Amino acid sequence: MEMKMHGWTGNIATIDLDSGAIKHAPLPKDLARDFIGGRGLGVALLCNRADPGVDALHAPLILAVGPLTGIAPMSGRHSFVTKSPLTKTILDSSGGGFFGSELKRAGFDAVEITRESDSPVYIVIDDGEVSIRDASDIWGMNVRKTTDLLAGRHRGRVACIGRAGENCVRFANVMNDYTHACGRGGIGAVVGFKKLKAIVVKGTGKPGVADEEAFKSANEEVSRLLRASPPLKSLSTYGTPSLANLISRFRLLPTRNFRDVQFRDGESASAVSLESSTSPVSSMSGEHIKENYRLKRHSCHKCSIACRQSTQEGIEIPEYETIAMFGPDCENSDFDKIMDTNRICNDYGMDTISCGSTIACHQEICEESCDIAELAARIGEREGLGRELSMGSKAYSDAKNAGHASMHSKGLELPGYDPRGALGQALAYATSNRGGCHTRAYMIAPEIIGKPKLIDRHTLIGKPGLVCVFQNLSAAIDSIMMCSFSSFALSSEEYSNMLSAVCGLTYTSEDLLRAGERIWNVERLFNLRAGFSRADDTLPDRFFGDYGIVQAEFEDALGEYYRFRGWDPEGVPSERKLEELGLRLEIG
Amino acid sequence: MEMKMHGWTGNIATIDLDSGAIKHAPLPKDLARDFIGGRGLGVALLCNRADPGVDALHAPLILAVGPLTGIAPMSGRHSFVTKSPLTKTILDSSGGGFFGSELKRAGFDAVEITRESDSPVYIVIDDGEVSIRDASDIWGMNVRKTTDLLAGRHRGRVACIGRAGENCVRFANVMNDYTHACGRGGIGAVVGFKKLKAIVVKGTGKPGVADEEAFKSANEEVSRLLRASPPLKSLSTYGTPSLANLISRFRLLPTRNFRDVQFRDGESASAVSLESSTSPVSSMSGEHIKENYRLKRHSCHKCSIACRQSTQEGIEIPEYETIAMFGPDCENSDFDKIMDTNRICNDYGMDTISCGSTIACHQEICEESCDIAELAARIGEREGLGRELSMGSKAYSDAKNAGHASMHSKGLELPGYDPRGALGQALAYATSNRGGCHTRAYMIAPEIIGKPKLIDRHTLIGKPGLVCVFQNLSAAIDSIMMCSFSSFALSSEEYSNMLSAVCGLTYTSEDLLRAGERIWNVERLFNLRAGFSRADDTLPDRFFGDYGIVQAEFEDALGEYYRFRGWDPEGVPSERKLEELGLRLEIG
């Protein structure tokens, strides 16, 4: 296949933080074709550089954008890929905002960052020029200050870590454009371990499009579908907190460290902020927030949904997941407290899901109630109890001989949907290759929200194939780099039409899903070689049993999932499957 | 549940054609709530009246509309329900146009027609008044003439049979508004056996809506989604022939009685109409038709898609299914011949799928090539060879000791998608309760068209659950009465919002799907008591084997399908399932 490099910039920068060497290399065309960009490209580049057995904090870090970044609707995104210091799995973590589009305009598809610096540094990427700068004066600052300072100094877009990343909190984020997070799995700890405080990007390039007419047509179709979508309209109106009432009504709301599935007044640790007639959950719902705060909406680059909200004063409104974890899961019904804790996490650069769940785990083990805001700050500082909790709930509970109290899969804390009430999501959690994550295959969409079609949430039968479809499509969307929310409205055809128009290649729907499957299989191989096995594709014991998921049915479904994937009964991809996907790469 | 009768008229008419007695009865509210309308209501009413073992031609006939008929977008539809004289299964057959909306305005949700008249009659329903008229002067006429005459005489909307129905051709249609068909399974034969030539409806009522504001909001949402949908745009531009190129490219095109899956020049019996550079299929494609004919588009009531096409002179353009069966499946590459044969079938009132497939079956058995137009007319007249073929391909091939050549499931000829290339569709054919039908669960949407999401068409794993979801949703859509094409754009949430707004009841998405499941189970019970069993849930031998579907995998999938449905290994609904669905009815 003759490839023009439309969509891609064609350039990769490699930065050795130990030697300070900076290299430029062309993006291999076959890699771009097969792994597309973003998550897929990052995964492929990581596997070329890293032994899956490497100690996580020492792993290379890949920053990548996709061929649609900054071009298509909902495409203002970028992805970090490395080995997770929290889960030891392969990890990609993507974020929105404006940073990704700026990196593309600065002329790079990917930036590989290897080894560690002795002293704090930050990287400046300015229209093709890459330099390493001294960060001694900003080391120790949290995210807002760091961003203020570097954005002011360079007039560029800033991705940085806060104190949590510096302190290698195992669930530290990289934050960009102030409040956008590359969260889950501790990308920020890897960055902090490298003594890399920030990356600043400035770009004036204009990404080209191969076929303007086809792009216009694909763009119109996509825009029409995005405008028509009811769930996107709801996100646009209420942000992700629009989920709170729905999830509570279906009794999926993680409550008291997943010991209950609905949050009631009587169980709330603090009911100060509640009117007596309002249930704690509805007081945290999108509808309630909209009524009670004067809100501003914020969008990422190229997005008309604008699902992020803040108060008029600029205080960020927490996402649904954050509300679920710092609210019901921590037995907290004080929404202002959730707002405060969210702000602290964002400023320290910490994953609110893992932070909230780890606090909930601690509360269960020690049978005590904590001030979540104060404890979050101590975790970010890694002091006292915060130091213990900074390793995540699994390490913490194991150290306490109370592993049963960590609500994780593969070491990643589960997000705001109880798996007992959505069995497809349960299987998706268990088979997720970065641990207990909802974005690998958001089965909540068909099982609860009813998109694209409602399916029976109480059965595992018929789900394994669907979970694979969702996983493959999500991997593809994360690689072309569009926001996963777009999949409420679009199917693979619209994505592949857009990709074909931008790149000047012919990607069919099948090609796109095949790329997603290829990426998923490479990620699986990485994890297998890092020591994971079938036994890790599971959930906490709490979710199994008479009132939960039937273990035998779950094992059957897992077996069928492997069969559907073309993997052996231990979950190892068959030679035939790898051949079919054109995977000959030696990982590590 | 206190029920207002918005959406429904609340009236049922019962007409005994033997005695001439006409009765009016109220629509039982629990029946409306549980079975909704259209197909569901018809099925419930039929089961109240008929023993499933009844001889098909003697079965009662129910005509029904739904609560959304004539109100919602794409809702100009009505449904006939009876026992099929072709398959001996329960049969519902719905059609578009303007007839259904007129019946609703005339004040009826359903019309039950029992026993047979001695002499030809037709029924006039005029704003609540029902009368039986003498049809001696029109008996013997085909559809166009009958419609002309009765529409002129009564200024109403006409549904009628042509000569095929009069002659009890086992795949005769009822036709309404000239060219709209209630096809598949031989509704027209039941009507003809009753000596009922036509039903004329006139109505000036205006169906009410319970909650105008909620309706407006639901209507706007639905309209926005319909406008945005790419497959609906394609249907709007090219009609159903837009499928021809796609289906051919995926090698699913029934060719030479399903002996091949793609139609090539060299194999065509007559290549007269083809330019040498054009493949026979592309010369029958929507794109080609649009280029080569001056077309007019026609819509059903309340539809902005307008997928029906005719020439400027009013000659109807065949649907994709018709093209597939009279074209490649009959080894015919002459599109004008397909147009002619289609017109003959419409005028005689005959199902083009069964007609085409039965001719293809005959051509295989007798190894001869026929003039399809001439043979179609002879079938309609039931003369000579036409008499033998008028019983359908299964009866014909059995009589010839060549049962292998009938491409049917449960006696209904398969439509224009080879099941070997879309295994979910294969399972949907086999488990369809009216035989080899694509509309019970149009798995072509996810497997080929990629809507709502593309899934792997070459596997049965993970499909049984999906087939059930599609079957239940289709049963619900057929019962609220919206066009099944709407499901390219809508999910159960939009349907249930619309239904709730119109009826003033609260139907959740789950309620709607549960109603669909209830209907499906009643249909299954009817068939079981009519003598069907697991052995009938299958496909012709041709599709199994080394180059087709693996029999063992198919049986596994069927077993899983039963399990998912809550049926025993023989496909019998469990007591528990029936209880769960609130089904206590004694059928027959």
Side-chain angles (χ1 to χ4, degrees), chain A residues 237-546:
Chain A
T237 309
Y238 300 110
T240 56
S242 65
L243 282 165
N245 277 335
L246 182 72
I247 297 302
S248 176
R249 183 152 51 81
F250 280 87
R251 302 182 62 84
L252 293 180
L253 192 68
T255 303
R256 300 172 60 241
N257 201 32
F258 284 91
R259 281 173 288 171
D260 204 352
V261 291
Q262 217 172 23
F263 194 38
R264 294 178 189 287
D265 242 333
E267 293 165 11
S268 64
S270 144
V272 180
S273 69
L274 301 173
E275 297 158 29
S276 56
S277 64
T278 326
S279 87
V281 168
S282 71
S283 78
M284 301 169 186
S285 70
E287 294 80 349
H288 189 267
I289 294 167
K290 195 175 171 67
E291 262 174 36
N292 288 273
Y293 291 86
R294 291 175 52 237
L295 297 174
K296 283 198 290 190
R297 289 164 55 208
H298 303 273
S299 79
C300 300
H301 188 221
K302 289 277 177 190
C303 178
S304 59
I305 309 299
C307 68
R308 290 181 78 85
Q309 306 177 113
S310 74
T311 64
Q312 290 289 336
E313 297 73 34
I315 301 168
E316 51 272 36
I317 299 292
E319 304 283 349
Y320 163 70
E321 308 295 337
T322 308
I323 294 172
M325 305 324 285
F326 284 137
D329 203 44
C330 283
E331 296 185 66
N332 165 49
S333 56
D334 179 350
F335 186 69
D336 288 336
K337 181 66 80 178
I338 299 175
M339 293 262 289
D340 282 347
T341 315
N342 181 55
R343 204 156 39 86
I344 289 166
C345 283
N346 281 353
D347 207 24
Y348 273 92
M350 277 195 301
D351 179 6
T352 55
I353 300 175
S354 286
C355 184
S357 188
T358 302
I359 293 175
C361 167
H362 163 70
Q363 291 188 153
E364 178 178 345
I365 293 173
C366 297
E367 295 180 11
E368 67 179 26
S369 170
C370 308
D371 181 320
I372 55 174
E374 187 247 1
L375 191 47
R378 286 171 70 200
I379 293 171
E381 294 293 348
R382 258 191 128 195
E383 61 177 36
L385 172 62
R387 185 174 191 87
E388 297 174 63
L389 300 182
S390 75
M391 303 304 283
S393 67
K394 180 169 185 300
Y396 172 77
S397 63
D398 283 347
K400 298 270 177 193
N401 273 321
H404 66 277
S406 169
M407 295 298 104
H408 75 95
S409 178
K410 296 188 184 72
L412 188 68
E413 286 76 13
L414 298 174
Y417 315 93
D418 191 298
R420 285 166 290 197
L423 297 191
Q425 190 63 56
L427 187 64
Y429 284 156
T431 58
S432 156
N433 49 30
R434 69 174 196 184
C437 168
H438 58 298
T439 69
R440 306 281 99 170
Y442 191 57
M443 297 302 289
I444 296 301
E447 295 188 303
I448 304 294
I449 304 175
K451 304 294 169 195
K453 304 280 177 196
L454 188 68
I455 59 175
D456 181 358
R457 64 199 184 98
H458 294 300
T459 182
L460 278 160
I461 304 177
K463 296 287 173 68
L466 263 193
V467 169
C468 294
V469 169
F470 273 67
Q471 287 173 339
N472 293 346
L473 183 57
S474 293
I477 296 170
D478 288 346
S479 301
I480 61 179
M481 297 244 74
M482 282 175 70
C483 174
S484 59
F485 288 156
S486 62
S487 69
F488 281 123
L490 309 181
S491 59
S492 40
E493 188 186 9
E494 286 83 53
Y495 292 116
S496 54
N497 286 347
M498 180 69 82
L499 187 61
S500 301
V502 168
C503 300
L505 302 169
T506 306
Y507 277 99
T508 64
S509 295
E510 291 81 4
D511 294 336
L512 188 69
L513 289 179
R514 187 49 57 104
E517 188 184 8
R518 185 179 297 120
I519 294 160
W520 190 267
N521 274 271
V522 172
E523 293 167 336
R524 178 74 177 182
L525 290 176
F526 186 100
N527 286 348
L528 290 170
R529 292 177 197 180
F532 287 87
S533 70
R534 174 172 181 141
D536 298 297
D537 290 344
T538 190
L539 290 166
D541 289 344
R542 179 160 303 173
F543 300 119
F544 296 103
D546 285 350

Side-chain angles (χ1 to χ4, degrees), chain A residues 49-292:
Chain A
R49 291 212 167 263
D51 182 325
V54 65
D55 178 83
L57 288 173
H58 291 87
L61 176 73
I62 320 288
L63 163 63
V65 294
L68 299 191
T69 301
I71 299 174
M74 302 179 81
S75 70
R77 295 191 72 78
H78 59 284
S79 191
F80 285 97
V81 178
T82 189
K83 180 172 176 176
S84 165
L86 182 67
T87 66
K88 323 295 191 234
T89 63
I90 198 164
L91 170 66
D92 70 278
S93 181
S94 70
F98 294 81
F99 179 84
S101 301
E102 192 83 17
L103 176 61
K104 178 88 155 274
R105 281 199 296 266
F108 293 99
D109 298 310
V111 180
E112 299 178 297
I113 304 168
T114 62
R115 303 208 288 178
E116 296 87 40
S117 172
D118 289 332
S119 62
V121 293
Y122 68 98
I123 292 170
V124 176
I125 300 174
D126 184 351
D127 267 336
E129 293 289 321
V130 181
S131 54
I132 303 175
R133 312 285 179 100
D134 176 42
S136 308
D137 57 332
I138 41 177
W139 195 258
M141 287 180 187
N142 266 336
V143 170
R144 182 160 294 274
K145 263 194 170 170
T146 304
T147 308
D148 272 344
L149 194 148
L150 290 177
R153 188 185 288 172
H154 295 283
R155 308 272 148 211
R157 297 286 176 180
V158 178
C160 67
I161 55 170
R163 300 270 303 146
E166 291 181 8
N167 292 328
C168 294
V169 170
R170 291 303 190 273
F171 44 84
N173 296 342
V174 172
M175 306 294 292
N176 61 278
D177 301 298
Y178 290 99
T179 56
H180 290 267
C182 287
R184 315 262 47 211
I187 290 277
V190 177
V191 172
F193 187 77
K194 291 185 183 310
K195 289 237 166 9
L196 176 62
K197 182 64 182 174
I199 303 171
V200 186
V201 290
K202 280 177 73 177
T204 56
K206 194 180 174 301
V209 160
D211 183 337
E212 286 286 356
E213 201 169 324
F215 173 72
K216 190 170 164 241
S217 151
N219 195 36
E220 274 169 11
E221 190 154 281
V222 164
S223 302
R224 209 170 58 233
L225 286 162
L226 296 178
R227 275 196 306 273
S229 161
L232 292 183
K233 201 175 163 204
S234 177
L235 281 172
S236 198
T237 309
Y238 300 110
T240 56
S242 65
L243 282 165
N245 277 335
L246 182 72
I247 297 302
S248 176
R249 183 152 51 81
F250 280 87
R251 302 182 62 84
L252 293 180
L253 192 68
T255 303
R256 300 172 60 241
N257 201 32
F258 284 91
R259 281 173 288 171
D260 204 352
V261 291
Q262 217 172 23
F263 194 38
R264 294 178 189 287
D265 242 333
E267 293 165 11
S268 64
S270 144
V272 180
S273 69
L274 301 173
E275 297 158 29
S276 56
S277 64
T278 326
S279 87
V281 168
S282 71
S283 78
M284 301 169 186
S285 70
E287 294 80 349
H288 189 267
I289 294 167
K290 195 175 171 67
E291 262 174 36
N292 288 273

Side-chain angles (χ1 to χ4, degrees), chain B residues 235-401:
Chain B
L235 281 170
S236 197
T237 309
Y238 300 111
T240 57
S242 65
L243 282 166
N245 277 336
L246 182 71
I247 298 303
S248 175
R249 183 151 52 80
F250 279 87
R251 302 182 62 85
L252 293 180
L253 192 69
T255 303
R256 300 172 58 242
N257 200 31
F258 285 90
R259 282 172 288 171
D260 205 351
V261 290
Q262 217 172 25
F263 195 37
R264 294 178 189 289
D265 241 333
E267 294 165 9
S268 65
S270 143
V272 180
S273 69
L274 302 173
E275 297 159 28
S276 56
S277 64
T278 326
S279 89
V281 169
S282 70
S283 79
M284 300 169 187
S285 71
E287 293 82 347
H288 189 266
I289 293 167
K290 194 173 172 68
E291 262 174 36
N292 288 271
Y293 291 86
R294 289 174 53 236
L295 297 175
K296 283 199 290 193
R297 288 163 57 207
H298 303 273
S299 80
C300 301
H301 187 223
K302 288 278 176 189
C303 179
S304 58
I305 310 298
C307 69
R308 289 182 77 86
Q309 307 177 114
S310 75
T311 64
Q312 289 291 335
E313 298 73 34
I315 301 168
E316 52 271 35
I317 299 293
E319 304 283 349
Y320 163 70
E321 308 293 338
T322 308
I323 294 172
M325 303 325 283
F326 284 137
D329 203 45
C330 282
E331 297 186 64
N332 167 49
S333 56
D334 179 350
F335 186 70
D336 288 338
K337 180 65 81 179
I338 299 174
M339 295 262 289
D340 281 349
T341 314
N342 181 54
R343 204 156 38 86
I344 288 165
C345 283
N346 282 352
D347 209 23
Y348 273 92
M350 277 195 302
D351 179 5
T352 54
I353 300 175
S354 286
C355 184
S357 188
T358 302
I359 293 175
C361 167
H362 164 70
Q363 290 189 154
E364 177 177 344
I365 293 172
C366 297
E367 295 180 11
E368 65 179 27
S369 171
C370 307
D371 182 319
I372 54 173
E374 188 246 0
L375 191 47
R378 286 171 70 201
I379 293 171
E381 294 292 350
R382 259 191 125 195
E383 61 176 40
L385 172 61
R387 185 173 192 85
E388 298 174 63
L389 300 183
S390 75
M391 303 304 283
S393 67
K394 180 168 185 300
Y396 172 77
S397 63
D398 283 347
K400 296 273 177 193
N401 274 320

